[in-house]
Amino acid sequence: MFKFNVRLLSFAYQLKKYSDRAGVPYIKPKGLRHSHASLLINEWNTTPLAIQKRLGHSDVQTTLSVYSHLYPNFDKEITENLKNLI
């Protein structure tokens, strides 16, 4: 019977192995998910609804409860945009 080590096939194990080889800090898979969402918010001003769909959250409220702290300047940007209309 063919036997294999399931641990060697896990994503976390492979991620650790290749981050060690590359000499970069290991980030847990869940951390990669959060980093991805943070990048979308901070660099591309992606809407919470788009992030909800991308991450597979069942409700946008879940997305907002986890990532709302990354939108601190959102209100300021809206205010500035409205000022420019006048």
Side-chain angles (χ1 to χ4, degrees):
M1 175 136 235
F2 179 71
K3 291 186 178 187
F4 58 91
N5 187 339
V6 175
R7 182 174 176 261
L8 294 177
L9 299 176
S10 77
F11 180 72
Y13 177 82
Q14 294 296 319
L15 188 60
K16 172 79 171 119
K17 180 173 80 172
Y18 288 109
S19 63
D20 288 346
R21 279 188 190 174
V24 297
Y26 169 71
I27 300 174
K28 293 180 182 179
K30 187 173 182 177
L32 289 176
R33 180 181 171 91
H34 288 291
S35 295
H36 175 66
S38 298
L39 174 75
L40 294 175
I41 293 166
N42 292 322
E43 297 298 322
W44 296 321
N45 295 321
T46 306
T47 65
L49 188 59
I51 292 171
Q52 174 223 345
K53 290 181 181 190
R54 185 152 182 99
L55 296 181
H57 293 153
S58 59
D59 188 312
V60 73
Q61 192 58 42
T62 302
T63 307
L64 289 171
S65 69
V66 175
Y67 299 107
S68 62
H69 68 282
L70 297 175
Y71 287 100
N73 297 324
F74 197 64
D75 191 47
K76 183 179 177 182
E77 290 174 22
I78 292 171
T79 303
E80 290 298 319
N81 288 337
L82 289 172
K83 281 183 184 179
N84 292 334
L85 287 175
I86 301 174

